[in-house]
Each structure stands twice: as C-alpha cells, then as structure tokens.
Amino acid sequence: MLDAPVDTQTLTLANAINAGLRRALHDDDKVVLLGEDIGTLGGVYRVTDGLQREFGARRVVDTPLAEAGILGTAVGLAYRGYRPVCEIQFDGFIYPAFDQIVAQVAKLHYRTQGAVRMPITIRVPFGGGIGAAEHHSESPEAYFTHTSGLRVVAVSNPQDAYTMIRQAIASDDPVLYFEPKRRYHQKAPVELDGSLSLTEPMGSARVVVPGDDVTLLAYGPLVQTATDAARAATADGISVEVIDLRSLAPVDYATIEASVRRTGRLVIAHEAGSQGGVGGEIAASVTERCFSYLEHAPVRVTGFDVPYPPSRLEVHHLPGLDRILDGVDRALGRSNSLSELEAGW
C-alpha cells in the first residue's frame, strides 16, 4: 500500500502556528483559544487570523485585557477537561499572570497527587529586534524554566512552529511556548502531516549546522544569527556546530554533551541577560558533565543586565553576528577578554 502524499506548503513562522492551531481546533472539540484581540482582529501579529470565523467565538475567545484573568479562566477550563491555549499579547505583559502560572498551573498536578492535569498551552511572543516600546521586547523565559511543573519550549523556524504547537496542545503538561516575534515572517517549507505522532518527545535539541571546533548553542530568535555566525567563521577556517536547543525545560543534555565531547568548547547565546539566565544553568551543567573534555570554560553571549533599552539602542543590546563571533574567538583562546562593548556595560 502506497503512503499518502505529505502536504508540504511554504509558510511563514506565524502562518505555521496558525496552521497548527487550526488543526488542533479541528481535531479536538476541547481545544479553546483565549487571548486579547485574537478573535475579530486575529491577534496583534495576525497569528490567529481567520480562526474565530471558522470555529466561532466560543472556541476562539476575545478576552478582557487581564492576563491573570486569562490564566485563571484557563485553569478552570482545564479542570473541566478542556485544553485551553492562551495568548500573551507581548512578552512583557506576562507578569500579571505570573502568580497564576507558577502557583497554580505548575503545581496542581503535583498538589493533587496526579488527580488533576493542567493541559494548558501559553503562547508568548518574545524577544526584541522589532523597534517596539517598553514591555514589548523582553525575554522572560528563565523565570519559568526555574519553576518545576512547567515545560518551556522556544521555536525558531516554521516547521518546528507547526509541529511543536500541536505537541504542546496535545501534552497533558502545561507548556510555555515562546515564539520569536522578529522571525514571524521567516518562510520555509512545512510538512502538514496529518499522521504526526503527538506522543513523541517534545523539542529535543537539533543540530542545525554540523561542526568540529566549537559548539554554539542558541534558541528562538538567535538560531538564525548563530547559523550566520557559523557560516562567517568558515572564512577563518573555524568549524562551528550550531545546536537549536528548542526545549528549555527540560533540556536535552544528551545532544549537547555529545557535541561538546567532540569539540571541547561551548558558546551559549540568548537575548535575555546573563544573570540567572538559561545560559548560566547550561554552562554549569555542561561543566559538571563534561569537565574532562572541555578545552575552555563555556562562554555566554547574551543581552546586557539592564532593562530592555529604547528601540534606537536595541541593536547594541541584542547579541549579533560580531558579538557571537567574538564569543567563538574567546572559546578558542583567540581573545582573552570580553569585547570592549560588553566590558563597558
């Protein structure tokens, strides 16, 4: 018997999420979308465009401007057997819902000894690079990776955006699903596979560019930047292996360790500040697990430990090609100190 043809379409990252949400709504009547302006408007970034027209206002719900209310409603829906998908309009707006997420969503399964599940997906457009105002360009992922009971993933490309939103919705665990807003218009072929196994592990790390000299780890919006850095490094004869972390909690250390044991060097890049960031935890864990293989201490290339700056200064704040290449040089012992820009902050 011949396999059914796979439906492959070229989609933007935003449209891939839309396609994943549409499929989930179609396949399961218990899936409900909640968020500010996600219905009639289709969301600020039009990620949910057309879904309310197709599935109705009882399944794609325009909520009041109240993030704590959105998450509190989602908890009640989950108690009644629904699979709510909440949109946080911007990353910096998630803090009013922080108590609901870390005190209720993350703990109810454990608190009830497994009697209650919280299959809630929380979509969070995150990161900078769009010239936005305050509270619109933050990277709050580390707050949630510190909280036991939550899964945290970050997508970087249209295929993962489609696959992982479906996996997140199908999961019985609560999932923070971080979307890089400056990559929403990035296009790529996406396999819209109806037979996709939603029981597979969600978001194992993926080697994007193979290499031998340095392991470069990134996630979300910086995966593309890291890939560009790897290509640029080849001009100097440096072979950089780029890994897309994808899952921030739990972390796929097996893939990272296998790479570091070959290269002996690790560079970690993310937009969030270094203090208490995901990169620091990974650096410590890799040092514990791979100490005898390391030729150099792990290097972090991150945003600065300041409130997110005005849009005219964000180009200096965000790790770009030059800063990541400087991190690669430090890991190789070709540069012994932080760049002048980093040292000045």
Side-chain angles (χ1 to χ4, degrees):
M1 181 176 179
L2 295 176
D3 292 333
V6 176
D7 181 12
T8 301
Q9 300 179 21
T10 298
L11 300 175
T12 65
L13 190 148
N15 287 339
I17 298 171
N18 181 286
L21 292 171
R22 176 176 285 103
R23 184 57 189 257
L25 286 161
H26 179 271
D27 288 350
D28 187 348
D29 290 341
K30 293 296 186 180
V31 174
V32 180
L33 311 189
L34 307 169
E36 300 162 3
D37 300 318
I38 67 167
T40 304
L41 182 65
V44 171
Y45 296 104
R46 305 301 186 267
V47 174
T48 54
D49 189 36
L51 297 180
Q52 190 180 76
R53 288 193 300 274
E54 185 171 348
F55 295 97
R58 294 177 66 85
R59 306 253 341 255
V60 182
V61 182
D62 278 320
T63 67
L65 304 182
E67 286 76 17
I70 294 170
L71 265 297
T73 301
V75 170
L77 286 167
Y79 259 112
R80 297 301 298 267
Y82 288 87
R83 293 184 176 273
V85 182
C86 305
E87 180 186 286
I88 303 297
Q89 195 172 79
F90 286 95
D91 35 41
F93 297 174
I94 200 169
Y95 304 116
F98 190 81
D99 177 60
Q100 291 282 8
I101 296 170
V102 302
Q104 306 301 331
V105 174
K107 293 180 171 61
L108 277 166
H109 183 66
Y110 188 81
R111 185 186 301 157
T112 61
Q113 297 182 334
V116 174
R117 292 190 179 275
M118 287 283 115
I120 299 172
T121 301
I122 305 168
R123 293 182 41 239
V124 188
F126 83 123
I130 64 167
E134 187 179 17
H135 303 312
H136 291 69
S137 300
E138 300 186 18
S139 298
E141 60 271 18
Y143 291 115
F144 303 103
T145 62
H146 183 70
T147 303
S148 298
L150 299 174
R151 290 183 179 271
V152 183
V153 300
V155 299
S156 67
N157 61 79
Q159 182 65 66
D160 281 352
Y162 173 79
T163 302
M164 292 171 67
I165 192 63
R166 292 189 61 198
Q167 290 176 324
I169 295 169
S171 173
D172 284 334
D173 298 323
V175 180
L176 273 291
Y177 177 94
F178 283 92
E179 311 165 8
K181 64 174 80 78
R182 66 167 153 147
R183 305 297 185 193
Y184 271 145
H185 300 296
Q186 174 185 330
K187 288 185 177 181
V190 177
E191 290 188 5
L192 305 174
D193 187 353
S195 62
L196 173 71
S197 173
L198 301 181
T199 61
E200 293 178 358
M202 188 186 340
S204 56
R206 178 173 62 94
V207 176
V208 180
V209 179
D212 300 313
D213 298 328
V214 180
T215 299
L216 173 55
L217 184 65
Y219 58 85
L222 285 191
V223 172
Q224 182 60 57
T225 311
T227 302
D228 294 341
R231 293 195 184 104
T234 59
D236 288 336
I238 302 169
S239 176
V240 176
E241 179 151 293
V242 178
I243 296 178
D244 182 353
L245 186 58
R246 299 206 290 182
S247 178
L248 313 187
V251 173
D252 176 10
Y253 280 109
T255 299
I256 300 169
E257 288 177 46
S259 179
V260 171
R261 287 169 187 248
R262 285 190 301 99
T263 66
R265 295 172 173 85
L266 175 64
V267 177
I268 308 156
H270 56 65
E271 290 189 12
S274 63
Q275 179 68 34
V278 171
E281 173 60 30
I282 293 175
S285 295
V286 170
T287 300
E288 290 174 348
R289 295 162 183 249
C290 302
F291 182 78
S292 60
Y293 293 88
L294 287 169
E295 302 290 340
H296 191 281
V299 173
R300 288 174 289 169
V301 183
T302 70
F304 300 112
D305 292 315
V306 298
Y308 197 88
S311 59
R312 67 182 181 277
L313 297 176
E314 69 176 352
V315 66
H316 303 294
H317 177 76
L318 297 172
L321 187 70
D322 289 340
R323 285 180 59 201
I324 290 177
L325 288 173
D326 178 71
V328 170
D329 282 343
R330 280 189 275 147
L332 288 166
R334 293 161 44 129
S335 174
N336 295 322
S337 62
L338 298 179
S339 68
E340 290 183 7
L341 178 60
E342 286 182 300
W345 282 72

